[in-house]
């Protein structure tokens, strides 16, 4: 555990406390590797945008402590449930109520599905850091991994570009690009996050175009 916690420097002591609670699922797109990537994204943004580092680190470590599958009717409630669980964990570790509330707000608002606007810099950074992991090369990999978990096909053989049909990312993984992934870069909260998102968005578009060209 210590070597894994060390990857979360300079918050390795906090990580050692929270890693056992961090993942609420066997979903490989929301595992400890995802949390570490989000943490590193958050550190890059935090270095330029500021905020409370401990609150941000705790929010990152616990933002997926309750995970709900993408096709579950409870999906929109996942971040609220995670915030409630995180609040109990941090209170049990002796955190001050204001800091617990700050972490809970960041976790509650980070989710695309929740549709809640983040109000604090820590919440804005967490949302940006998490969404960065949904675009770019990592976003492509996660999209198809999740498609496999949901038993989706790669694309519609007859109409891969959805020119004469409705987009349906429950049936075809590639449809998730225009349905959601291409829209994520528009909603970033911080200047640093927007800059990072623009680079990853370009990679996402390039993959999509190459994919469609190869199956044409």
């Amino acid at each position: 555990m210590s070597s894994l916690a060390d990857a979360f420097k300079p918050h390795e002591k906090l990580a050692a406390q929270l890693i056992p609670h961090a993942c609420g699922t066997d979903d490989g797109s929301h595992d400890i590797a995802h949390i570490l990537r989000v943490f590193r994204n958050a550190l890059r943004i935090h270095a330029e945008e500021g905020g409370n580092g401990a609150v941000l680190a705790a929010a990152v470590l616990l933002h997926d402590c309750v995970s709900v599958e993408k096709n579950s009717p409870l999906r929109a409630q996942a971040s609220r449930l995670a915030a409630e669980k995180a609040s109990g964990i941090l209170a049990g570790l002796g955190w001050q109520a204001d800091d617990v509330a700050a972490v809970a707000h960041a976790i509650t608002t980070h989710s695309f599905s929740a549709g809640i606007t983040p109000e604090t810099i820590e919440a804005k950074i967490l949302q940006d850091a998490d969404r960065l992991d949904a675009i770019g090369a990592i976003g492509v990999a996660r999209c198809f991994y999740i498609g496999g978990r949901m038993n989706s096909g790669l694309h519609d053989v007859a109409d891969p570009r959805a020119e004469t049909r409705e987009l349906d990312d429950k049936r075809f993984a590639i449809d998730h690009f225009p349905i959601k992934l291409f829209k994520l870069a528009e909603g970033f909260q911080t200047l640093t996050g927007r800059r990072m998102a623009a680079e990853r968005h370009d990679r996402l578009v390039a993959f999509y175009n190459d994919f469609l060209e190869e199956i044409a």
Side-chain angles (χ1 to χ4, degrees):
M1 180 65 70
S2 60
S3 60
L4 179 56
D6 286 345
F8 290 86
K9 290 180 179 178
H11 299 284
E12 63 272 25
K13 292 182 180 179
L14 178 61
Q17 293 177 309
L18 298 184
I19 284 173
H21 307 284
C23 300
T25 178
D26 64 351
D27 178 358
S29 66
H30 293 92
D31 57 4
I32 195 66
H34 162 71
I35 292 170
L36 180 57
R37 292 192 302 269
V38 173
F39 178 77
R40 289 170 174 166
N41 291 339
L43 283 187
R44 288 183 61 186
I45 301 172
H46 170 61
E48 297 191 38
E49 304 286 342
N52 184 313
V55 166
L56 178 61
V60 170
L61 282 156
L62 295 176
H63 78 278
D64 280 338
C65 65
V66 173
S67 186
V68 179
E69 289 283 6
K70 295 287 187 182
N71 59 353
S72 170
L74 297 176
R75 178 62 187 169
Q77 301 181 42
S79 62
R80 178 183 60 80
L81 296 171
E84 291 175 356
K85 182 176 178 180
S87 295
I89 293 167
L90 295 175
L93 292 173
W95 277 51
Q96 295 296 314
D98 287 350
D99 289 337
V100 172
V103 171
H105 172 70
I107 293 174
T108 300
T109 61
H110 90 274
S111 171
F112 184 91
S113 302
I116 305 172
T117 301
E119 301 294 340
T120 65
I121 186 58
E122 296 84 11
K124 292 175 181 179
I125 292 173
L126 174 58
Q127 186 180 100
D128 282 2
D130 187 57
R131 291 187 182 185
L132 281 169
D133 207 51
I135 56 179
I138 289 292
V140 171
R142 292 180 72 209
C143 177
F144 286 102
Y145 171 87
I146 293 169
R149 283 179 67 90
M150 300 296 104
N151 295 316
S152 302
L154 294 182
H155 63 89
D156 182 3
V157 174
D159 186 7
R161 297 179 182 273
E163 294 173 336
T164 61
R165 63 175 176 84
E166 294 292 325
L167 290 165
D168 185 355
D169 56 357
K170 292 181 174 59
R171 294 180 61 203
F172 309 114
I174 198 66
D175 284 13
H176 195 58
F177 285 64
I179 285 177
K180 178 180 177 181
L181 300 186
F182 288 158
K183 300 174 183 177
L184 291 180
E186 300 172 359
F188 275 68
Q189 301 290 328
T190 67
L191 181 62
T192 308
R194 286 195 293 274
R195 185 176 68 247
M196 295 169 68
E199 297 173 357
R200 297 197 184 195
H201 178 79
D202 289 345
R203 296 173 195 157
L204 201 65
V205 172
F207 173 86
Y208 181 78
N209 290 333
D210 287 346
F211 180 94
L212 291 175
E213 180 181 341
E214 288 187 11
I215 63 174

